[in-house]
Amino acid sequence: MTKKYDVYALGNALVDTEIEVSDAFLERMDVGKGVMTLVDEARQAELLAALADEAEPHKQTSGGSACNTVVATRYFGGSGYYACKVASDTTGDIFVNDLTAAGVDTNMNGNREEGVSGKCLVMLTPDAERTMNTYLGISSEVSEAELDEAAIAASHYVYLEGYLVSGDSSRAATVKLRQLAEKHGVKTSLTFSDPAMVQFFKDGLTEMLGDGVDLLFCNEAEATSYTDTENVEAALEALKAVCRSAVITLGAKGALVWDGTDTHQIAPVEVKAVDSNGAGDLFAGAFLYALTHGHDFATAGKLASVASAQLVTEFGPRLTADAHREIRKQVLGE
């Protein structure tokens, strides 16, 4: 059966505002560094007001972890569908227009509800670490109603965003998405998304994993935290109980990729990093593109490593479509 989509993803729909800050600012404003923290609209406004004296925002772009991943798969030449929830406001317009321009199908093309769309304040420190304060808005209401079973059945992979574990309806929606994928013989993938999700919602992530997913994405901190282990090798061994293949990203040290049989050490690409926002999302998008286009895990890891290395050298959670094509040609010769 010919599949319409390489990746069908469910996630939080957010419009990102990126701004450079000092470590002193994070301390002064009592912001937890290097993790995603959910905040209310008033707290986000307070931070933006305090930031007015610090620096000008770099840009506003549609984001959200799984959205960045699907857009990356699309920009490499694949196809994608993004299920989410935005309101009928200006922020929602920005999000849907960006998604449509990228060539990604979505359930948000029709009537959208009144409300406030999700926004994410991305604060970048001089060490290139990204710290996110997120107001989910209407995205906190993501539910099974956002799922399209026909589109799911027509996909090679579904991709579950770990951030959705923090809400009851959104977590239930990811479980339902995994079950629908399994029903239709579609491969399942999940990302832990953030160390804070593992720290505070481990039981929920275990529920999302069910009897195990086909492919698990996580970073070193998430892997060791979830498995309660001391090092990445021990973490990978423990993770084999909940997935049939896995990717553990190691930042400047590259990545560890297990294809279900063999483990591959993915070499890092040495660069001067300025912004790590979206690097894990792009890694997953590149990896899924390669897997759905006939490449093995080692090759998928190389493509993902080169792409994410380029992303961290510039500001913003995404590369241009042209940059994706150049990287694809450089690594895959396509």
Side-chain angles (χ1 to χ4, degrees):
M1 174 188 172
T2 304
K3 299 280 192 173
K4 184 175 182 181
Y5 302 112
D6 293 319
V7 181
Y8 178 108
L10 174 71
N12 284 319
L14 306 168
V15 171
D16 289 352
T17 298
E18 285 207 339
I19 194 160
E20 290 180 78
V21 302
S22 62
D23 285 302
F25 175 83
L26 297 181
E27 288 174 23
R28 188 169 77 247
M29 298 301 293
D30 196 25
V31 176
K33 184 179 174 179
V35 296
M36 190 284 289
T37 304
L38 292 175
V39 296
D40 60 21
E41 201 172 9
R43 170 62 170 167
Q44 205 175 57
E46 178 193 3
L47 288 168
L48 280 167
L51 282 165
D53 300 328
E54 290 268 320
E56 288 293 314
H58 280 287
K59 53 180 138 181
Q60 267 201 325
T61 53
S62 66
S65 174
C67 181
N68 292 336
T69 294
V70 176
V71 168
T73 299
R74 173 74 186 117
Y75 279 171
F76 274 116
S79 54
Y81 185 109
Y82 189 58
C84 60
K85 191 159 189 171
V86 292
S88 58
D89 58 1
T90 307
T91 306
D93 293 342
I94 292 171
F95 189 90
V96 173
N97 291 341
D98 278 3
L99 208 54
T100 304
V104 174
D105 287 351
T106 178
N107 62 315
M108 283 286 104
N109 284 329
N111 294 326
R112 290 182 264 138
E113 295 174 28
E114 293 294 316
V116 180
S117 295
K119 305 180 186 83
C120 180
L121 178 60
V122 184
M123 293 165 280
L124 310 167
T125 37
D127 58 0
E129 184 67 84
R130 89 319 175 239
T131 296
M132 299 183 291
N133 273 212
T134 303
Y135 170 62
L136 289 175
I138 202 169
S139 189
S140 66
E141 300 169 22
V142 163
S143 69
E144 295 178 24
E146 273 63 68
L147 300 177
D148 181 333
E149 186 169 356
I152 294 164
S155 302
H156 287 291
Y157 269 91
V158 295
Y159 184 75
L160 316 178
E161 183 185 288
Y163 285 126
L164 296 178
V165 73
S166 66
D168 290 341
S169 69
S170 58
R171 186 175 63 257
T174 60
V175 172
K176 182 68 172 179
L177 173 54
R178 174 178 52 74
Q179 291 169 341
L180 288 171
E182 290 165 351
K183 170 184 169 184
H184 292 287
V186 174
K187 289 193 171 179
T188 55
S189 61
L190 178 144
T191 172
F192 280 158
S193 292
D194 192 278
M197 298 301 103
V198 180
Q199 182 182 353
F200 299 113
F201 302 101
K202 183 176 176 179
D203 288 348
L205 288 172
T206 301
E207 183 188 349
M208 284 163 63
L209 285 162
D211 292 331
V213 292
D214 289 300
L215 177 56
L216 175 66
F217 291 95
C218 55
N219 65 24
E220 189 170 3
E222 294 153 6
T224 53
S225 175
Y226 185 82
T227 57
D228 197 22
T229 52
E230 296 297 316
N231 60 69
V232 70
E233 290 79 17
L236 179 57
E237 279 306 309
L239 287 172
K240 290 177 180 180
V242 295
C243 62
R244 288 170 280 283
S245 60
V247 172
I248 305 178
T249 55
L250 309 172
K253 295 179 289 182
L256 206 59
V257 170
W258 174 59
D259 63 14
T261 304
D262 300 315
T263 302
H264 309 271
Q265 192 81 43
I266 306 301
V269 180
E270 286 192 30
V271 293
K272 171 83 172 78
V274 298
D275 176 11
S276 61
N277 183 31
D281 307 335
L282 175 55
F283 196 106
F287 203 91
L288 287 167
Y289 167 78
L291 286 190
T292 53
H293 286 75
H295 298 282
D296 60 22
F297 275 66
T299 306
K302 185 178 180 185
L303 179 72
S305 181
V306 172
S308 54
Q310 182 165 330
L311 180 68
V312 300
T313 65
E314 51 192 76
F315 290 103
R318 293 183 192 161
L319 295 172
T320 64
D322 286 344
H324 284 78
R325 284 189 286 270
E326 283 299 313
I327 293 166
R328 187 185 71 198
K329 189 175 178 183
Q330 172 194 336
V331 179
L332 304 177
E334 296 174 356

